[in-house]
Amino acid sequence: MTEMVIEMRNNKYLVIYEELAQQIQEGKYPARSILPSEHELTEMYSTSRETIRKALNLLAQNGFIQKIRGKGSMVLDLKKLQFPISGLVSFKELAGKMGQRAETIVDEFSLIQPDAEKMKHLHIDKGEKVWKVYRVRKIEDERIILDKDFLVEKYVPGLTREICQSSIFAYIEGELGKKISFAKKEFTVEEPTGEDRKLLDMEGFHAIVVVKNYIYFDDATLFQYTESRHRPDKFRFVDFARRMDSQVF
């Protein structure tokens, strides 16, 4: 009997986690709402603050909440857009599949002489021109992604602001008849810049997910470098991994 009581005490945070997770899924705590404070939860469940923190940490790890400095635990939207890590999909294609109201705002569009850093990213020589395209992505009227695209002009001629507002991938494959084949991606989490805060709805958020994409044609020509800056509460990146048969050497 004593052992059972000890086990229940040790696992109480799991019981609290499961109850709160269920309430979030059932809509008692809708997306963007704030859970009761640690102090309030401590009183509600007649337990210690340490136990509540364990439950909240587990909720955060499993994508139910995000702790916002000065506000508490905000409930995340469980209907997040899922970006495949190993695949290539445009924002327009993704938003269409999710059935959510989406909009692209072209903040900047110009043909430039790239600096040394961009030349290095795109493996090009001095004198080659590059399209510079900054696009803000809105979902359900919230500005949540900043895409900073740099495309080699000789590989993607004829680009216009209207094309950028619709879909660059659709233009390349449909109008230019080129096949986009693969991409190399790098993921980091950084502090938002002043530019991020100016162009995106970042109030209450103190981190941004940065995805650097190096995108290639099927002949292995690198034609585009993109830096996508994602507000962390709305997006998750998914992949499928398979364990290969182990071999003994």
Side-chain angles (χ1 to χ4, degrees), residues 15-246:
V15 175
I16 297 170
Y17 159 77
E18 289 171 0
E19 184 172 322
L20 289 174
Q22 183 176 352
Q23 290 173 348
I24 290 171
Q25 291 170 320
E26 292 175 349
K28 179 177 179 180
Y29 298 112
R32 304 286 295 171
S33 67
I34 303 296
L35 289 183
S37 67
E38 288 185 6
H39 178 71
E40 290 171 326
L41 290 171
T42 296
E43 292 188 344
M44 287 168 58
Y45 288 99
S46 301
T47 189
S48 68
R49 181 162 289 192
E50 182 183 357
T51 298
I52 293 300
R53 284 176 178 167
K54 284 184 178 181
L56 292 177
N57 287 338
L58 197 55
L59 286 170
Q61 290 170 17
N62 287 292
F64 287 99
I65 65 169
Q66 176 168 324
K67 295 183 178 180
I68 305 296
R69 192 183 306 165
K71 289 191 175 183
S73 299
M74 185 184 71
V75 177
L76 298 181
D77 186 355
L78 298 181
K79 297 178 180 178
K80 294 181 181 180
L81 296 180
Q82 296 190 19
F83 277 87
I85 290 176
S86 57
L88 270 173
V89 60
S90 70
F91 175 81
K92 186 174 183 179
E93 292 167 338
L94 182 68
K97 289 178 182 178
M98 293 296 295
Q100 293 180 293
R101 189 170 68 257
E103 180 184 354
T104 292
I105 301 168
V106 180
D107 183 74
E108 185 173 346
F109 173 73
S110 58
L111 187 61
I112 65 169
Q113 173 63 53
D115 58 22
E117 181 185 7
K118 298 302 182 297
M119 290 169 59
K120 183 179 179 180
H121 282 312
L122 289 165
H123 300 165
I124 57 176
D125 298 324
K126 188 175 181 180
E128 295 194 58
K129 294 294 184 67
V130 168
W131 297 109
K132 177 183 179 181
V133 185
Y134 281 19
R135 294 179 291 178
V136 176
R137 312 296 199 166
K138 294 176 69 176
I139 290 288
E140 303 294 341
D141 295 325
E142 286 193 281
R143 298 173 297 162
I144 54 180
I145 303 175
L146 171 60
D147 278 340
K148 302 166 72 169
D149 304 304
F150 298 89
L151 303 97
V152 182
E153 191 264 345
K154 69 178 180 182
Y155 298 136
V156 189
L159 201 60
T160 67
R161 179 178 287 268
E162 290 71 28
I163 290 169
C164 296
Q165 188 169 346
S166 178
S167 173
I168 295 176
F169 276 15
Y171 170 70
I172 290 173
E173 295 181 324
E175 297 296 323
L176 299 183
K178 297 183 179 181
K179 185 177 179 182
I180 300 169
S181 182
F182 62 95
K184 182 181 76 171
K185 302 186 181 186
E186 298 178 5
F187 294 77
T188 57
V189 178
E190 304 174 5
E191 287 191 14
T193 64
E195 183 179 60
D196 294 327
R197 295 197 177 281
K198 177 184 175 183
L199 297 177
L200 303 180
D201 295 324
M202 292 294 297
E203 183 179 357
F205 294 92
H206 302 274
I208 195 161
V209 179
V210 180
V211 185
K212 296 178 181 179
N213 295 270
Y214 300 81
I215 307 174
Y216 297 77
F217 290 135
D218 58 350
D219 62 356
T221 297
L222 172 63
F223 71 93
Q224 179 176 343
Y225 167 74
T226 294
E227 186 174 297
S228 290
R229 305 180 71 84
H230 298 253
R231 203 177 75 181
D233 65 314
K234 291 295 263 184
F235 288 82
R236 62 182 175 187
F237 298 89
V238 298
D239 197 9
F240 175 80
R242 184 187 300 276
R243 178 173 168 80
M244 304 299 291
D245 291 337
S246 60

Side-chain angles (χ1 to χ4, degrees), residues 1-12:
M1 184 70 176
T2 303
E3 291 179 357
M4 184 179 297
V5 171
I6 293 173
E7 184 177 356
M8 288 178 64
R9 286 177 179 170
N10 289 339
N11 294 330
K12 189 168 185 178

